[in-house]
Amino acid sequence: MQQFLESFLPAGPLVVFVFSIIPLMIILVYALFAIWLERKVAGHIQDRLGPMVTGGWHGWSQTIADLLKMIQKEDIVPAKADRFLFKMAPFIAFAASYAAFVAIPFSSGYIGSMIDIGVFYIVAITSLLSVSIIMAGWASNNKWSLLGAMRTAAQTVSYEVPTVVTILSVIIVTGTLNLMEVTEMQTGNAFLGFLPNWLIFHSPFMVIAFVLFFIASLAESHRVPFDLPESESELVGGYQTEYSGMRWGLFMLTEYADMLLLSLVGATLFFGGWNSPFGSFMDGPVWGAFWMLLKGMLLVFVMMWLRWTLPRLRVDQLMNLCWKYLIPLSFVNLVLIALWELIF
Amino acid sequence: MVKALTDIYTTFKSIFTGMGITFRHLFTRSVTVQYPQQRDVLPERVRLKLHVNIDDCIGCRLCERACPVECIEIGTIKSTDDDDLGETSTGHKKRLWVDQFDIDMAKCCYCELCVHPCPTDCITMVEDYEYSAYDRNDLILSFSDMTPEQIEEAGRKLEEEEEAKRRKKEEAMLARKKKEEAKAAAGEAGGEKPAGGGTGEASKDSDAESSRGADASGSGDADSDAEKAARRAEREARRAARKAEREAKKKSED
């Protein structure tokens, strides 16, 4: 990819710049689409239509109109807020989520950085998100914001454990933390004759690992049923309460970017990343990007689907689920996968 | 341990049941009505907006009295004898000018109580629900079709007629008074000097005239007496005519 860009762009820094903003472009376009899709999914699940007017066909440009509106909004900083932290928080949130995309292999031809500790880096850098949320909640000088931030801290710290343990159980199979190598491992025509050589089909315990990972990733990205930090209906938006205009929009963007990030990690670890489901058919760098994003979007869709199905958990239920079910299960699963690897 | 496993089972079972339901609803037809382009068919007896067919209004104010929130305001002017306001489509004679018929839809509680008392069915609920306004005063609907000039004209005519009637009455009273005075004077005169003079003759004359009937008119007490007598005769004739009519009607009904 870098060589390809260097072939028609002159200077070195420019190539690096273009190279590094490709995920940003993907995230922005995806966020516009995903917010529209979310509203459509919400609408149709509730037997409504969702946005229908803006832009003509099924209100496709509703998000663009919302974005334009948001940019024009007044940037309000509460009088008794900590101005510096308050203004910084949304940027740190988005930076944390964007930085994680470096280690995602979008296709066989594009990965931000071939670092060997890919998954570990992603897990580590996304923790910064909870720091930014606590920053936002604390700097707002508002009880609801602070409550939301405290919930986030508790939630993120708790759910990082099952996430990391399930990722670890996948790493036992792959033997590498580099996501590009993990994906390349899953290249291959077929497993058991007809299934693609994806890790989810590697052993029955991988299915359990995926379910655990998916639940934990829902909690990590603060989606329903784990959206306690925001909980519009009880905390009036949680840590976002005092934010308005584009700063609030950045939090929104971060949430959606986070969804995509965790879906892409899930797709890479369990569903073969940029590999085509049809073996060598429709394979290649461009098709790779297509498959990767399609798999990611399917998981994002499942997240939306769940959002409009399940009610929000209580704080104690959230902790119950994590510490009494997810963590023990993920550890048992880790041991079972390790045994499977030893035996077969 | 067993409880934990059954809990996990029920959790997943319920989640998948829920997801099945939401997935089904994802593809069921939505119930949304795309309002400005599509409209629901309204039920037959919707109560949305009041309308008054002012041509049929006889100004009876029954609706005004029926209204529990006093949102109807009606003003009427009596019509004069020379004006014919015609009849309503239901055959009622119109006797009043309706110079004001205001309904404040902002106050209206859509109870439809005003619609039923109307004898001519001129106040009705119509199927119009898009009449929101920026100013509260724009919700006051005025149904009277009279122009200010017409209202002034009607008021002036009524005033003139009343004035004329009052004058007539006064004149009649005055005449009666004069006659009584004259009678008294005649009686006095007769008492003092029998086989009378000019006044006696005059009174005799007037008696004769009144018995004869109508036409003599001019000035003086004799004339006013004559006029009175003429009116009385006229009234009696009218009464007789009405009586005959009634009897005829009765007969035809029998």
Side-chain angles (χ1 to χ4, degrees), chain A residues 9 17 22 68 73 80 82 96 141 145 149 175 189 198 225 241 282 304 322 324 333 338:
Chain A
L9 284 174
F17 178 72
I22 287 172
L68 289 176
K73 286 237 171 179
K80 295 210 171 166
D82 187 324
N141 205 351
S145 300
N189 223 346
W198 295 350
T241 308
M282 289 168 84
M304 291 173 181
C322 182
K324 288 191 184 165
N333 205 38

Side-chain angles (χ1 to χ4, degrees), chain B residues 49-195:
Chain B
K49 188 188 185 183
L50 281 169
H51 177 76
V52 176
N53 181 5
I54 198 68
D55 292 337
D56 274 3
C57 182
I58 56 171
C60 65
R61 291 169 181 260
L62 280 177
C63 47
E64 191 183 28
R65 243 169 281 159
C67 183
V69 291
E70 290 172 11
C71 72
I72 303 179
E73 211 170 301
I74 300 175
T76 52
I77 302 172
K78 270 191 223 163
S79 62
T80 49
D81 288 342
D82 57 330
D83 268 328
D84 184 20
L85 271 62
E87 285 188 344
T88 66
S89 59
T90 49
H92 289 72
K93 180 99 180 68
K94 280 165 61 168
R95 294 193 173 83
L96 299 165
W97 292 108
V98 182
D99 68 317
Q100 184 198 16
F101 201 125
D102 292 349
I103 298 179
D104 191 347
M105 288 313 286
K107 283 188 199 162
C108 180
C109 68
Y110 309 95
C111 60
E112 213 180 17
L113 287 177
C114 53
V115 172
H116 302 297
C118 184
T120 61
D121 291 338
C122 72
I123 183 165
T124 44
M125 283 281 184
V126 289
E127 276 193 24
D128 178 15
Y129 45 87
E130 291 164 319
Y131 55 91
S132 57
Y134 282 103
D135 190 345
R136 198 183 298 167
N137 293 325
D138 292 347
L139 286 171
I140 301 176
L141 309 174
S142 296
F143 289 102
S144 175
D145 55 356
M146 288 177 77
T147 58
E149 292 83 46
Q150 281 175 314
I151 294 171
E152 207 181 312
E153 165 84 11
R156 194 176 49 74
K157 274 175 93 174
L158 179 67
E159 233 165 71
E160 277 172 9
E161 200 197 51
E162 275 177 350
E163 184 67 35
K165 275 184 183 165
R166 207 178 61 240
R167 216 180 304 132
K168 263 185 195 169
K169 221 177 185 176
E170 269 170 16
E171 273 171 14
M173 292 251 288
L174 214 69
R176 202 189 298 146
K177 234 183 204 167
K178 269 188 182 165
K179 196 187 162 190
E180 270 163 17
E181 271 171 22
K183 249 184 189 167
E188 228 171 81
E192 269 174 11
K193 25 181 172 167

Side-chain angles (χ1 to χ4, degrees), chain B residues 42-48 110 112 116 125 127:
Chain B
L42 295 169
E44 208 175 301
R45 297 192 295 170
V46 282
R47 307 199 295 251
L48 297 168
Y110 309 95
E112 213 180 17
H116 302 297
M125 283 281 184
E127 276 193 24

Side-chain angles (χ1 to χ4, degrees), chain A residues 44-45 47-49 305 309 325, chain B residues 7 19 22 25 28 30-31:
Chain A
H44 283 280
I45 279 179
D47 289 353
R48 296 184 286 112
L49 287 170
W305 179 10
T309 305
Y325 294 93
Chain B
D7 277 356
M19 285 176 85
T22 43
H25 277 277
T28 47
S30 79
V31 293

Side-chain angles (χ1 to χ4, degrees), chain A residues 92-93 95-97 99 123-134 160:
Chain A
I92 290 184
S97 142
V123 170
I125 201 88
T126 45
S127 303
L128 210 57
L129 188 67
S130 54
V131 174
S132 77
I133 288 175
I134 292 172
E160 247 161 33

Side-chain angles (χ1 to χ4, degrees), chain A residues 20-190:
Chain A
S20 58
I21 64 160
I22 287 172
L24 183 65
M25 293 299 125
I26 293 173
I27 292 170
L28 290 177
V29 174
Y30 145 82
L32 288 178
F33 173 70
I35 292 171
W36 173 82
L37 184 71
E38 171 110 52
R39 297 175 71 169
K40 280 304 204 187
V41 168
H44 283 280
I45 279 179
Q46 296 167 353
D47 289 353
R48 296 184 286 112
L49 287 170
M52 285 297 282
V53 178
T54 321
W57 185 81
H58 284 255
W60 66 271
S61 65
Q62 183 64 52
T63 326
I64 298 170
D66 285 347
L67 182 75
L68 289 176
K69 181 200 75 177
M70 216 143 64
I71 289 170
Q72 296 171 44
K73 286 237 171 179
E74 190 188 349
D75 179 25
I76 299 168
V77 180
K80 295 210 171 166
D82 187 324
R83 292 184 73 86
F84 180 70
L85 289 184
F86 186 85
K87 287 189 166 180
M88 280 302 286
F91 297 116
I92 290 184
F94 184 68
S97 142
Y98 181 54
F101 279 89
V102 166
I104 299 280
F106 279 95
S107 89
S108 53
Y110 182 84
I111 181 168
S113 169
M114 281 282 267
I115 40 176
D116 284 335
I117 52 162
V119 193
F120 179 72
Y121 165 77
I122 290 173
V123 170
I125 201 88
T126 45
S127 303
L128 210 57
L129 188 67
S130 54
V131 174
S132 77
I133 288 175
I134 292 172
M135 252 168 85
W138 183 262
S140 295
N141 205 351
N142 173 320
K143 289 179 188 64
W144 281 302
S145 300
L146 191 57
L147 272 173
M150 296 309 283
R151 285 182 177 190
T152 317
Q155 183 176 330
T156 317
V157 168
S158 307
Y159 277 86
E160 247 161 33
V161 181
T163 317
V164 171
V165 173
T166 44
I167 289 176
L168 191 61
S169 55
V170 180
I171 300 310
I172 288 177
V173 178
T174 60
T176 173
L177 288 164
N178 188 333
L179 282 174
M180 191 59 121
E181 283 172 23
V182 170
T183 317
E184 276 163 3
M185 269 186 67
Q186 298 176 70
T187 317
N189 223 346

Side-chain angles (χ1 to χ4, degrees), chain B residues 10-54:
Chain B
T10 45
T11 306
F12 274 99
K13 203 184 155 207
S14 62
I15 286 176
F16 283 119
T17 312
M19 285 176 85
I21 290 169
T22 43
F23 196 71
R24 241 191 352 268
H25 277 277
L26 197 53
F27 296 105
T28 47
R29 252 183 100 73
S30 79
V31 293
T32 310
V33 177
Q34 288 292 88
Y35 163 61
Q37 290 94 40
Q38 293 171 19
R39 274 148 211 269
D40 256 347
V41 178
L42 295 169
E44 208 175 301
R45 297 192 295 170
V46 282
R47 307 199 295 251
L48 297 168
K49 188 188 185 183
L50 281 169
H51 177 76
V52 176
N53 181 5
I54 198 68

